Amino acid sequence: MSETNVDKKVVKSQSEKSSKNFDVGSWLVPIVAVLVAMSLAAILIKLQGLNPIAAYKSLFKTAFGSIEGLGVTLGKSTPLVLSGLAVAVGLRAGLFNIGAQGQLLSGALAAAWAGVTFDGLPGYIHVPIALIIGAFFGSVVAGISGFLKAYRGVHEVITTIMLNSIVMGVADYLASHQLREPDQFLTRTAEIQPSAKLPIYANLPLGFFIAVVLAIVIWWILGRTTSGFRIETVGRNRHAAWYAGIPVKRTVISAMLISGAIAGLGGAVETLGITYRYAPAFNLGLGFDGITIALLGRVHPIGIIPGAILIGGMRAGAANMQFDSGVAPELVDLLMALILLLVTAPLITRFFKNNSNKSMTSGWGN
Amino acid sequence: MSALLEVTGITKRYPGVVANDNISLTVNAGEVVALLGENGAGKSTLLKAVFGLIKPDSGEIKISGTPIVFGDTAGVISRGVGMVHQHFQLVPVMSVAENIILGDEPRRGIFINKKAAHDEILALSKRYGLEVDPEAIIEDLPVGMQQRVEILKALRKDVKLLILDEPTAVLTPQEIDELLGVIRNLANSGVGIVLITHKLHEVMAVADRVVVLRGGKLVGATSPKETDEAGLAQMMVGRSVVLQVNRTEAKRGAVVLEVKGLQVRDDRKILSVKGVDLSLHKGEILGVAGVEGNGQREFVEAICGMRHREAGEVLINGVATKDMHPHAVHKAGISHIPEDREKHGLVANYSIADNLVLNQFDQAPFAKGWVRNLAEVAKSAISTVEKFDIRTPSAFNTASSLSGGNKQKVVVARELSEDLPVLIAAQPTRGVDVGSIEFIHNQLISARDKGAAVLLVSAELDEILSLSDRIAVMSDGKIVAIVESKDADRNYIGRLMAGLKE
Ligand SMILES: Nc1ncnc2c1ncn2[C@@H]1O[C@H](COP(=O)(O)OP(=O)(O)OP(=O)(O)O)[C@@H](O)[C@H]1O
Ligand SMILES: [Mg+2]
């Protein structure tokens, strides 16, 4: 008869893991990718006549070897967790949000404005207001792409890339005109009010905990709520979603709004927790790093956290590494590029394999 | 002389199931072997192993006496094996000729030699008596013609062994007859053929030998001479199957669904439903018979809010439903078994459990407000899997791991679990084994007896005839006749379907 009399306990534990199959084997890919990337980079260091072991030792010792170092690492990781999360939420809905960078910049600038402008607020009001304003602007920027995708069919990759340039231009313009620090030579905003600065408790930045809590909340929303189910269904099979009565357009737009809000929050956290002002060139690349981190974390909201910490740590330790071992800090960019290549390569091969399998064997007679 | 195909002791395990359990089988040149078995018995798995698409865990496969390398599709093809998969692997925007030569194009320098391709296809089509227009674009062709292109593609390299995995599931009866003729001719010219089908009369008509799988094991072999359809069904399922539906008289109630002056365009923007009026009553099954491609698909999709209604109205209990809004139509009381289960019916990498609640995930008991109740989803999934006999090691496996017929059962189970006033069933038993057909038919009848109004659209005239209380014949986008089932005569309906006036 049917093979369905499964042990109730097994069923229970499987359902608790939520219906998304979480398969341990697949987590080997990012781990192997990081190790292989580090080995390849080590060869390059060696070819330069330098000592890779010493370089890595210095890098990780600076990043993770002391409580102060760890604080810096977590500070650097915070916007990375958020931009990775932003990209991941998009991907879950089947959207490739390349625009985390632009959304992050607009959030960073908006938070700087809120941090400078509002005066006389206590910290517990000023900080949340500035964060929310940052998230709001990120959300608006992403919402444009979401709207164009849903109602005009314009691919989000195109619009988010274009918006990256637009946002960067506008933000730099504002930072050198209307929002520029008065009577100063540098193009940048004034420093935010002390009340807007994200507190640091015993070296550990508050922003990081906000990011982690948000990752957990997003994980829960995607896995356990009806909104999350809508997003996932639209991401996996738009036609089935439409047939099942899920409002696809609205879901696409909401996913972009959420994604943009998270990226904007990433920019705001960077402003309020690290840079304390907005200057063009401060946040270069954070949004793009989000793509690597989202893929390194296998598009899983929690999986993103270790990836972000690793990369944040490398960024935190890079300067010291140069001092100790002579290896240029650009090594970190090289590592990022290699990691991106290596985590996407299996995705790409699997994509092709799946697709060819699919086209050859799917169907009624499957 | 060694056999054309010799399969020895093939075993293939998937997590939780043994899809093929020590199967041995031979196929000789010039014979047609039918491979039968319930949904999930392991038929596709076995033939995918032969074609080099999957690697079995153990065993040996020889073609003309020489073993194949597992997983080496290219090698298998070069040894003269062709496979036709039911779901077409054609590129919709390319021409027939381009699709057939794809992967091994005749060239002139670095360019494709279109003239040579054209001539080659014409010669091929003449040789096998399968007429096609090499320049036609695939997406403009009816499915029967597309199937022909698939077969020509498989036959292009001098094929010695042809594998057909449910090639007839989407064909009309005429197209099936033609295809069976082609199969017979190929066999007579020395080609060995393995055919998977769930339609037993096809087996009786064309097979030389029959091999039956059940639960991954080979459970028997016979031939059409030694048995009949009921015997085949019994061998497959392991019990006797009632091939004829027992249907009581319908207690027809008030009109529930009313279609008025409906006009719909197809994907090519051509008007394919040309003004249809129809009323569906509570407690009846109304069958829509018709040759595929006469507007049935567009008709159903328009009713369900999935395709724009050019003109006309669809009313449920007198209230007009919204155009292009499947969710609203569903809320208004229509459940719908969609024709294309891969595209609309399932989310392949969701679990079976999630697929079973795809249209109710946000309603009680599967959600409490904003939060999904996964325990309820699991509980209901386990009982549905049991009730519909969906063959899977667990209700939490992905839908993509199911066999074709079991996927269909998931979709049917979901739509039948709702008890809405109207049920629209488009090709509800496509690709499903005889045992499960019996079950699904009984479910449709019991839905009717509980008071649902059922609209059944099927390419199987036999299915329409045995289930329907009334039969509407659709031809060229219009309902040309509505016949009470007691007055229905196969030939008469067939003539109406073909567009002939009485
Ligand atoms: N990729 C896969 N992963 C896990 N299980 C699989 C996979 N493919 C097939 N199976 C399982 O193997 C068994 C045999 O499947 P197969 O597709 O061969 O059945 P079938 O006889 O062709 O059925 P149908 O008549 O429904 O097409 C089924 O239990 C199915 O769930
Ligand atoms: Mg099959």
Side-chain angles (χ1 to χ4, degrees):
Chain A
M1 253 288 298
S2 71
E3 308 100 301
T4 57
N5 295 324
V6 224
D7 184 352
K8 287 269 148 66
K9 263 196 215 128
V10 175
V11 165
K12 187 118 197 288
S13 77
Q14 270 168 324
S15 74
E16 267 162 10
K17 263 194 278 170
S18 117
S19 34
K20 277 91 231 158
N21 43 335
F22 184 96
D23 126 44
V24 181
S26 68
W27 289 92
L28 280 173
V29 174
I31 293 169
V32 170
V34 168
L35 294 178
V36 172
M38 289 182 63
S39 320
L40 289 174
I43 296 172
L44 289 176
I45 297 173
K46 193 89 195 159
L47 287 177
Q48 284 183 296
L50 301 169
N51 182 349
I53 309 275
Y56 286 142
K57 222 171 172 175
S58 154
L59 186 67
F60 287 107
K61 194 153 168 255
T62 319
F64 304 106
S66 65
I67 195 83
E68 295 80 18
L70 197 63
V72 176
T73 293
L74 294 186
K76 293 244 181 221
S77 310
T78 308
L80 295 175
V81 171
L82 292 169
S83 67
L85 202 54
V87 174
V89 168
L91 285 173
R92 287 294 181 122
L95 300 164
F96 206 2
N97 180 7
I98 311 275
Q101 179 66 21
Q103 294 141 24
L104 189 140
L105 285 186
S106 58
L109 179 63
W113 170 79
V116 171
T117 312
F118 299 142
D119 207 353
L121 295 176
Y124 58 86
I125 295 182
H126 201 172
V127 168
I129 284 188
L131 289 178
I132 289 169
I133 288 177
F136 173 78
F137 276 89
S139 190
V140 168
V141 171
I144 297 172
S145 299
F147 179 84
L148 288 172
K149 167 91 180 186
Y151 289 99
R152 286 279 163 271
V154 190
H155 202 281
E156 73 278 4
V157 168
I158 311 273
T159 58
T160 52
I161 288 179
M162 285 167 59
L163 278 166
N164 278 343
S165 309
I166 294 172
V167 168
M168 184 137 74
V170 171
D172 290 359
Y173 177 84
L174 290 174
S176 49
H177 293 85
Q178 286 84 342
L179 302 181
R180 184 173 183 164
E181 184 169 16
D183 314 319
Q184 284 288 324
F185 173 69
L186 294 168
T187 50
R188 58 182 201 188
T189 67
E191 189 169 309
I192 56 173
Q193 312 274 352
S195 59
K197 291 184 181 171
L198 272 169
I200 295 171
Y201 300 111
N203 284 314
L204 300 179
L206 178 70
F208 184 76
F209 296 99
I210 297 178
V212 168
V213 168
L214 192 64
I216 294 170
V217 169
I218 293 288
W219 181 41
W220 181 81
I221 289 179
L222 288 175
R224 289 302 175 87
T225 68
T226 54
S227 314
F229 192 76
R230 285 192 190 99
I231 289 179
E232 297 261 352
T233 309
V234 167
R236 287 161 195 243
N237 184 344
R238 225 162 261 251
H239 303 287
W242 150 250
Y243 152 83
I246 294 171
V248 175
K249 291 178 177 163
R250 222 188 303 155
T251 307
V252 162
I253 295 176
S254 350
M256 274 313 266
L257 289 174
I258 297 171
S259 173
I262 300 170
L265 188 66
V269 164
E270 175 84 353
T271 300
L272 306 187
I274 296 185
T275 60
Y276 298 143
R277 63 172 92 235
Y278 180 90
F282 261 8
N283 309 293
L284 280 182
L286 283 176
F288 294 118
D289 291 352
I291 298 170
T292 308
I293 288 164
L295 294 173
L296 188 60
R298 303 201 69 74
V299 201
H300 190 294
I302 306 298
I304 281 163
I305 298 170
I309 294 177
L310 178 75
I311 287 165
M314 290 187 195
R315 293 239 184 272
N320 242 357
M321 171 187 70
Q322 183 174 32
F323 185 77
D324 286 347
S325 67
V327 174
E330 281 76 20
L331 173 76
V332 177
D333 295 316
L334 174 72
L335 278 172
M336 292 276 292
L338 284 171
I339 290 172
L340 181 62
L341 206 64
L342 290 162
V343 283
T344 45
L347 287 180
I348 292 168
T349 45
R350 222 184 29 181
F351 178 78
F352 280 113
K353 204 172 135 233
N354 274 355
N355 259 21
S356 67
N357 259 348
K358 190 160 185 252
S359 65
M360 284 200 272
T361 63
S362 74
W364 310 118
N366 214 3
Chain B
M1 241 237 26
S2 50
L4 180 56
L5 172 68
E6 211 176 332
V7 173
T8 329
I10 286 293
T11 296
K12 173 73 189 177
R13 290 189 187 82
Y14 286 112
V17 277
V18 186
N20 284 169
D21 189 354
N22 197 15
I23 294 183
S24 301
L25 171 81
T26 55
V27 177
N28 296 310
E31 73 172 345
V32 179
V33 175
L35 190 56
L36 286 187
E38 292 174 287
N39 297 128
K43 306 178 294 293
S44 298
T45 304
L46 180 65
L47 295 188
K48 281 185 213 167
V50 171
F51 199 58
L53 289 171
I54 56 166
K55 293 183 187 177
D57 301 323
S58 59
E60 191 181 45
I61 297 172
K62 286 183 185 169
I63 292 167
S64 308
T66 328
I68 67 159
V69 179
F70 288 157
D72 176 19
T73 313
V76 171
I77 293 174
S78 73
R79 306 264 296 274
V81 180
M83 181 159 180
V84 173
H85 312 267
Q86 182 48 53
H87 213 199
F88 307 125
Q89 276 93 64
L90 301 171
V91 185
V93 295
M94 290 186 2
S95 73
V96 168
E98 284 166 334
N99 266 285
I100 295 178
I101 62 169
L102 196 66
D104 186 11
E105 305 86 3
R107 284 165 192 280
R108 188 191 290 136
I110 57 163
F111 297 103
I112 291 176
N113 187 341
K114 295 220 165 162
K115 178 80 179 67
H118 186 97
D119 294 345
E120 185 190 332
I121 306 311
L122 280 185
L124 191 66
S125 122
K126 195 164 289 155
R127 179 166 157 207
Y128 292 107
L130 288 165
E131 230 172 89
V132 291
D133 169 8
E135 299 313 316
I137 301 298
I138 292 294
E139 61 185 356
D140 296 341
L141 296 175
V143 275
M145 194 63 87
Q146 294 188 17
Q147 182 68 283
R148 214 176 269 185
V149 177
E150 280 285 359
I151 294 169
L152 282 177
K153 200 174 160 182
L155 290 173
R156 179 170 173 229
K157 298 281 137 59
D158 277 309
V159 164
K160 290 187 291 181
L161 175 68
L162 181 62
I163 298 170
L164 300 157
D165 193 347
E166 294 190 45
T168 58
V170 293
L171 298 188
T172 62
Q174 292 86 328
E175 288 165 337
I176 291 173
D177 288 344
E178 270 171 43
L179 178 63
L180 295 183
V182 171
I183 290 175
R184 201 61 263 171
N185 283 341
L186 283 170
N188 291 344
S189 70
V191 177
I193 290 167
V194 187
L195 170 72
I196 299 182
T197 177
H198 288 294
K199 301 179 189 176
L200 301 177
H201 57 94
E202 293 171 4
V203 176
M204 296 304 289
V206 77
D208 297 306
R209 283 196 294 129
V210 181
V211 174
V212 182
L213 302 187
R214 194 191 313 145
K217 292 196 180 64
L218 199 153
V219 293
T222 179
S223 77
K225 289 189 207 75
E226 300 164 40
T227 183
D228 57 5
E229 288 187 29
L232 289 176
Q234 167 129 29
M235 271 179 92
M236 273 172 65
V237 185
R239 62 175 166 92
S240 67
V241 178
V242 187
L243 295 171
Q244 197 55 47
V245 189
N246 270 325
R247 191 164 51 90
T248 50
E249 192 71 13
K251 294 188 206 61
R252 193 181 299 168
V255 172
V256 185
L257 177 79
E258 221 180 338
V259 178
K260 285 186 186 164
L262 188 64
Q263 293 186 15
V264 190
R265 290 184 190 280
D266 65 12
D267 292 336
R268 285 173 288 154
K269 306 279 173 245
I270 297 166
L271 200 64
S272 66
V273 177
K274 304 173 180 173
V276 167
D277 298 288
L278 197 70
S279 357
L280 181 63
H281 294 253
K282 187 176 159 67
E284 73 165 347
I285 296 180
L286 174 58
V288 177
V291 176
E292 197 143 324
N294 275 273
Q296 301 95 315
R297 171 189 306 198
E298 290 77 15
F299 177 58
V300 166
E301 288 180 354
I303 292 179
C304 297
M306 294 169 67
R307 185 179 282 276
H308 175 58
R309 302 168 192 155
E310 198 71 23
E313 275 190 307
V314 177
L315 302 107
I316 296 172
N317 292 323
V319 183
T321 60
K322 236 170 132 180
D323 187 23
M324 285 297 274
H325 212 300
H327 194 43
V329 174
H330 177 246
K331 278 242 161 71
I334 296 186
S335 50
H336 169 207
I337 298 167
E339 178 173 358
D340 191 339
R341 64 173 171 239
E342 307 277 338
K343 186 175 171 191
H344 293 123
L346 294 168
V347 179
N349 51 9
Y350 266 171
S351 66
I352 296 164
D354 278 342
N355 272 293
L356 283 169
V357 295
L358 211 53
N359 53 8
Q360 299 169 71
F361 69 91
D362 52 359
Q363 291 157 30
F366 303 121
K368 224 185 262 150
W370 191 45
V371 183
R372 298 185 66 208
N373 188 341
L374 296 180
E376 278 299 324
V377 172
K379 211 171 87 193
S380 128
I382 290 166
S383 78
T384 310
V385 160
E386 182 108 39
K387 181 176 168 205
F388 279 79
D389 193 16
I390 296 164
R391 304 292 171 93
T392 172
S394 146
F396 305 97
N397 278 18
T398 58
S400 60
S401 74
L402 289 173
S403 78
N406 283 301
K407 287 180 186 166
Q408 181 69 20
K409 289 195 239 170
V410 170
V411 177
V412 172
R414 177 179 69 219
E415 298 306 322
L416 282 174
S417 66
E418 270 198 290
D419 284 335
L420 292 183
V422 180
L423 171 64
I424 300 192
Q427 322 290 356
T429 58
R430 186 173 269 180
V432 168
D433 69 47
V434 280
S436 305
I437 288 177
E438 179 193 9
F439 179 76
I440 291 175
H441 283 175
N442 287 333
Q443 291 292 314
L444 290 175
I445 289 177
S446 85
R448 176 200 80 167
D449 291 344
K450 277 191 272 172
V454 181
L455 187 73
L456 169 72
V457 181
S458 173
E460 302 281 322
L461 186 51
D462 289 325
E463 179 161 88
I464 299 272
L465 287 169
S466 63
L467 286 177
S468 310
D469 302 305
R470 288 191 300 153
I471 297 167
V473 183
M474 199 157 177
S475 172
D476 193 26
K478 293 198 180 97
I479 302 279
V480 292
I482 296 185
V483 188
E484 291 287 329
S485 75
K486 55 182 183 299
D487 311 326
D489 165 79
R490 208 169 196 289
N491 282 328
Y492 172 60
I493 297 206
R495 289 220 313 282
L496 287 172
M497 282 167 61
L500 303 175
K501 298 271 174 282
E502 300 134 65

